[in-house]
């Protein structure tokens, strides 16, 4: 039997969209105004505000990555309005789930944003153990910087 449980109520904030992290415990509460997007990040399990009043001008969409560790805010150009004048501030920002800005990418007329899908795991448990001893996992931020310049 599924039941809903009231965890807490947030008052005094504007919110037009609630976006749950795929990891499940973090939520982005966003307010999309005509010229900007303001959002907060909350840990609902501990009722903790992780980041407050993060802002991305002209932002039209927010996307969680499949792992729930990163969040992208984007200015997406509507294809029906593709002839509209581009803004040099358009593009996307990448944040951690704690709200730390990792990267800002400026891109005129961004039509779509999508996270690269990641398979659950391509290696067996034995292969992971064997490779883990000889190949340390690179720092996540360095991988993102390599990816986004």
């Amino acid at each position: 039997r599924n039941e809903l449980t009231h965890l807490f109520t947030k008052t005094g904030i504007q919110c037009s969209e609630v976006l749950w992290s795929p990891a499940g415990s973090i939520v982005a509460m966003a307010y999309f105004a005509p010229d900007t997007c303001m959002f907060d990040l909350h840990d609902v399990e501990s009722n903790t505000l992780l980041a407050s009043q993060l802002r991305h001008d002209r932002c039209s969409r927010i996307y969680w990555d499949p792992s729930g560790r990163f969040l992208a805010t984007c200015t997406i150009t509507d294809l029906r309005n593709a002839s509209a004048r581009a803004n040099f501030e358009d593009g996307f920002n990448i944040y951690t789930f704690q709200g730390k800005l990792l990267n800002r990418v400026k891109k005129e007329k961004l039509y779509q944003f999508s996270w690269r899908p990641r398979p659950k795991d391509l290696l067996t448990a034995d292969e992971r153990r064997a490779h883990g001893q000889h190949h340390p996992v690179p720092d996540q931020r360095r991988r993102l910087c390599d990816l986004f310049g």
Side-chain angles (χ1 to χ4, degrees):
R1 179 173 126 188
N2 294 331
E3 292 184 24
L4 294 176
T5 303
H6 180 264
L7 299 174
F8 53 85
T9 301
K10 289 291 180 187
T11 59
I13 62 169
Q14 291 182 309
C15 179
S16 58
E17 194 168 334
V18 175
L19 301 125
W20 283 94
S21 161
S25 64
I26 309 296
V27 66
M29 299 178 73
Y31 174 67
F32 291 95
D35 60 344
T36 192
C37 171
M38 301 284 293
F39 64 100
D40 296 341
L41 297 172
H42 298 271
D43 182 338
V44 295
E45 288 182 0
S46 64
N47 192 12
T48 305
L49 180 64
L50 299 173
S52 177
Q53 296 184 0
L54 299 169
R55 178 185 180 122
H56 183 170
D57 290 338
R58 298 177 39 81
C59 174
S60 57
R61 299 258 175 21
I62 297 178
Y63 300 100
W64 282 101
D65 86 303
S67 73
R69 294 181 300 179
F70 303 99
L71 184 77
T73 59
C74 311
T75 56
I76 302 293
T77 302
D78 188 352
L79 285 173
R80 292 171 288 194
N81 196 16
S83 63
R85 188 167 168 247
N87 188 314
F88 69 94
E89 290 293 320
D90 287 354
F92 60 93
N93 296 341
I94 306 291
Y95 297 88
T96 66
F97 71 92
Q98 297 106 337
K100 180 181 177 187
L101 178 65
L102 293 178
N103 206 352
R104 179 173 285 137
V105 177
K106 298 195 189 282
K107 182 82 174 162
E108 284 187 30
K109 294 192 176 185
L110 179 66
Y111 294 106
Q112 181 180 12
F113 181 92
S114 180
W115 288 99
R116 177 181 176 187
R118 297 284 184 185
K120 186 80 171 164
D121 206 340
L122 296 176
L123 302 176
T124 66
D126 292 335
E127 290 171 329
R128 279 194 308 276
R129 279 192 290 277
H131 288 285
Q133 295 170 357
H134 305 292
H135 304 287
V137 177
D139 176 64
Q140 185 69 38
R141 183 179 173 133
R142 191 177 81 221
R143 282 191 282 169
L144 280 172
C145 289
D146 291 344
L147 191 63
F148 299 120

